[in-house]
């Protein structure tokens, strides 16, 4: 796998073209996902290694992307810590026992990798199916983003309760974040031991934070996690929404790759980062709703802009939306594979 496009680009080595994968590449925009989802619940799919492998393989077989990403969710770690997690149709994730005070935080367990053994099992099944063809990316949620689901009890627009805890009860917040960080290090090392070829840390909602709060409550924990990984030959990708602002700080945590949102010119931000840090991104996912002519124009424009740079992985600035036409996603992958430097 060390010679694959993804791993070489992640380590800022030259490649014949940029590798392509897409966040949320295994999901509801695919009919074949629904064929499985209509028979099982989302958590059943995550927890049954054969099913998780079936879904992981959908974009490998149907899109021909250059990397697979483990089918799972960032919320399996807080569930293992004691969160009572469910996913209702069209309401997203819910925790029935939100974490709002010190007693709630004290009740969370931190030796939980044994409860996540199903993820290690899924990784082994997936690697058998991939059979060395392309790398497998493992992942986990970053402490701030995971904390927000535990505190809010689900998704949130404004993160009001989470930010209130950061501001009024910072010690309590740090206690919670430390516990999540510890679990995340163990969990990602378990994924590495089980055979993933790269890992991505998802700090999806970091863009809700001010610079100082990001530094104190998010960046410090992400840096701890990255420093705690057994990462020989395993590149670490750091993703957050808000990376167009936070990337220089994210670089201080020393990931191999920073995944960039679509608000910024990718070359400009790469030039502001230390040598040897690759970038991933950064097409606005909404481009994939548009006409094919525009899809091609925008992707090739990005590639032309990045053509003199090593260390570029094509991705979207965030995940594929469920109603993006499959045909457009397939078209994007095809034209990317036609591109050569
Ligand atoms: O990228 C992939 O294809 C791999 C699988 C993957 C899922 N979730 C599957 C999923 C990954 C990498 C995630 C990460 C995840 N989960 C994030 C970070 C990524 C990001 O988009 O920023 C977050 C914030 C979550 C939490 C989560 N899981 C939410 C908010 C929801 C509901 C809303 C939504 O987008 O569906 C989920 C459910 C979820 N996770 C689904 C899938 C395929 C949908 C389940 C269904 O079919 O109903």
């Amino acid at each position: 796998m060390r010679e694959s496009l993804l791993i070489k680009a992640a380590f800022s080595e030259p490649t014949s073209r940029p590798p392509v994968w897409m966040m949320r590449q295994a999901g509801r925009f695919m009919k074949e996902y629904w064929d499985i989802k209509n028979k099982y619940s989302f958590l059943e799919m995550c927890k049954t290694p054969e099913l998780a492998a079936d879904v992981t393989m959908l974009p490998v077989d149907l899109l021909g992307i250059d990397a697979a990403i483990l089918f799972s969710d960032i919320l399996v770690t807080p569930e293992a810590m004691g969160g009572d997690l469910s996913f209702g149709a069209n309401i997203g994730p819910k925790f029935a026992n939100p974490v709002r005070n010190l007693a709630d935080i004290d009740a969370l367990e931190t030796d939980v990798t044994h409860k996540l053994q199903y993820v290690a099992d899924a990784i082994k099944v997936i690697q058998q199916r991939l059979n060395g063809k392309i790398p497998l990316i493992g992942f986990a949620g970053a402490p701030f983003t995971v904390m927000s689901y535990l505190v809010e009890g689900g998704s949130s627009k404004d993160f009001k309760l989470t930010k209130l805890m950061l501001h009024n009860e910072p010690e309590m917040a740090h206690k919670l974040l430390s516990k999540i960080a510890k679990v995340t290090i163990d969990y990602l090392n378990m994924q590495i031991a089980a055979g993933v070829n790269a890992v991505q840390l998802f700090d999806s909602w970091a863009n809700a934070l001010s610079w100082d709060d990001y530094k104190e409550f998010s960046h410090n924990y992400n840096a701890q996690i990255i420093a705690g990984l057994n990462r020989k030959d395993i590149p670490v990708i750091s993703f957050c929404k808000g990376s167009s602002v936070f990337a220089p700080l994210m670089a201080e945590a020393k990931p191999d790759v920073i995944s960039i949102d679509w608000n910024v010119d990718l070359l400009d931000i790469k030039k502001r980062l230390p040598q040897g840090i690759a970038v991933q991104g950064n097409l606005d996912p909404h481009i994939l709703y548009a006409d094919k002519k525009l899809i091609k124009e925008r992707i090739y424009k990005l590639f032309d802009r990045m053509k003199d740079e090593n260390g570029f992985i094509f991705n979207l600035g965030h995940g594929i939306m469920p109603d993006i036409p499959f045909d457009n996603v397939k078209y994007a992958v095809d034209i990317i594979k036609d591109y050569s430097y």
Side-chain angles (χ1 to χ4, degrees), residues 24-26 28 33 37 42 72-73 139 149 202 204 318:
R24 294 293 181 93
Q25 65 191 18
R28 290 163 295 186
Y33 175 83
K37 178 68 203 287
F42 175 63
S72 186
D73 199 83
F139 70 93
Y149 285 98
F202 280 95
S204 304
H318 202 180

Side-chain angles (χ1 to χ4, degrees), residues 21-28 33-34 37 42 45-46 55-56 59 69-75 87-93 139-141 145 149 154-155 200 202-205 239 241 318-320 322:
W21 71 279
M22 296 189 201
M23 286 183 270
R24 294 293 181 93
Q25 65 191 18
R28 290 163 295 186
Y33 175 83
W34 285 107
K37 178 68 203 287
F42 175 63
M45 288 159 67
C46 294
V55 184
T56 301
I69 180 163
L70 169 70
F71 184 77
S72 186
D73 199 83
I74 63 165
L75 300 180
F87 285 88
N90 303 322
I91 55 162
F139 70 93
T145 292
Y149 285 98
S155 299
Q200 177 156 320
F202 280 95
D203 203 357
S204 304
W205 311 128
F239 165 83
K241 271 208 81 201
H318 202 180
I320 301 176

